[in-house]
Amino acid sequence: MAFQKDNTFVTGRLKSVTYAFKGAVKLITTEHSVMVQFSIGLLLTGAGFYFGITSTQWLFQTLAIGLVLSIEGLNTAVEKIADFIHPDYHERIGFIKDIAAGSVFFAAITAIIIGLIIYLPLFL
């Protein structure tokens, strides 16, 4: 049976959201780095409620958590595609995977800086 695209606006969008949700669940339940980052995000969310951070701080914290998880998801997708295309080690594939991992590094450093700006004054 061939895949048939749903062109109706509402049901098509609902299917897209369903696929996206399934993908998010797969990321959180199968990828160890995402599990760790998701857990840190939950801890920081709890810390935000505990310390009563401001609305602006919530915006930055939420953006930082979403940024890291999103970039990690894209990194995972790049790695999976690269491994599918060339399962054995290859210098070019390694280079591509390193670049994707580097983008996660930038997102994580940004999130750490945001976290320090929000929480360091609360501890000093």
Side-chain angles (χ1 to χ4, degrees):
M1 182 173 159
F3 176 76
Q4 196 168 24
K5 185 175 179 182
D6 187 345
N7 290 319
T8 59
F9 182 77
V10 175
T11 57
R13 298 309 61 81
L14 287 174
K15 285 182 180 179
S16 294
V17 170
T18 302
Y19 295 139
F21 181 77
K22 286 180 182 179
V25 170
K26 285 180 185 178
L27 266 173
I28 293 168
T29 58
T30 62
E31 298 300 318
H32 294 290
S33 57
V34 177
M35 289 177 198
V36 169
Q37 292 160 350
F38 185 75
S39 298
I40 291 169
L42 289 176
L43 287 172
L44 286 172
T45 300
F49 284 115
Y50 179 79
F51 288 109
I53 62 177
T54 68
S55 295
T56 303
Q57 290 170 326
W58 273 114
L59 289 172
F60 280 104
Q61 177 171 294
T62 303
L63 182 64
I65 292 167
L67 174 71
V68 171
L69 291 173
S70 298
I71 299 298
E72 184 62 57
L74 291 173
N75 176 53
T76 300
V78 167
E79 288 182 352
K80 300 290 183 191
I81 290 169
D83 290 343
F84 178 76
I85 291 170
H86 204 295
D88 298 326
Y89 176 78
H90 189 278
E91 189 174 328
R92 285 182 168 164
I93 295 292
F95 182 78
I96 292 166
K97 290 167 75 171
D98 288 346
I99 290 172
S103 63
V104 176
F105 176 78
F106 287 133
I109 293 298
T110 302
I112 289 168
I113 292 168
I114 290 170
L116 289 172
I117 290 170
I118 292 172
Y119 291 104
L120 201 55
L122 300 173
F123 287 103
L124 297 177

